[in-house]
């Protein structure tokens, strides 16, 4: 079973993620959070389709919301009771 990150691991993993991401990930309501903006709906939907394939392969699925050109993402590992390494792995893939 995957375990939730400790506060120190959470802080260092978030800092490392944001070093390499083009936008800022944050922690909101106990979840790894980011808002992505795209030129239009088609680009936003294409992003979601690509991430859906990655998430299915990892058996780790995001909570997300889409309106027109924006995709809001929250990542948490429910069976771990918090943010885990699985969330940071998917966040890194989403940021590429």
């Amino acid at each position: 079973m995957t375990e939730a990150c400790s506060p120190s691991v959470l802080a260092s993993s978030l800092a490392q993620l944001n070093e390499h991401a083009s936008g800022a990930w944050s922690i909101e309501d106990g979840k790894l959070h980011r808002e992505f903006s795209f030129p239009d709906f088609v680009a936003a939907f294409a992003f979601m389709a690509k991430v859906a394939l990655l998430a299915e392969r990892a058996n780790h699925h995001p909570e997300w919301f889409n309106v027109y050109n924006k995709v809001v993402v929250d990542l948490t590992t429910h069976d771990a009771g918090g943010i885990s390494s699985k969330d940071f792995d998917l966040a890194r893939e989403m940021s590429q």
Side-chain angles (χ1 to χ4, degrees):
M1 182 171 140
T2 304
E3 293 184 19
C5 296
S6 68
S8 62
V9 169
L10 190 61
S12 64
S13 295
L14 182 62
Q16 184 180 23
L17 176 62
N18 281 327
E19 270 182 33
H20 304 289
S22 60
W25 287 89
S26 62
I27 306 297
E28 290 191 18
D29 298 323
K31 299 174 183 178
L32 193 54
H33 175 87
R34 181 166 172 194
E35 296 183 20
F36 293 87
S37 291
F38 298 91
D40 54 32
F41 175 74
V42 172
F45 195 86
F47 168 78
M48 293 177 74
K50 181 179 177 184
V51 171
L53 296 173
L54 296 170
E56 188 64 19
R57 185 182 71 219
N59 193 30
H60 190 62
H61 306 94
E63 296 175 16
W64 54 12
F65 181 76
N66 165 246
V67 174
Y68 184 58
N69 69 331
K70 301 213 183 305
V71 178
V72 179
V73 178
D74 288 304
L75 300 173
T76 187
T77 305
H78 297 284
D79 63 347
I83 300 169
S84 75
S85 60
K86 286 182 172 184
D87 300 302
F88 283 102
D89 291 344
L90 187 54
R92 271 188 290 283
E93 288 188 283
M94 293 173 90
S95 294
Q96 294 177 351

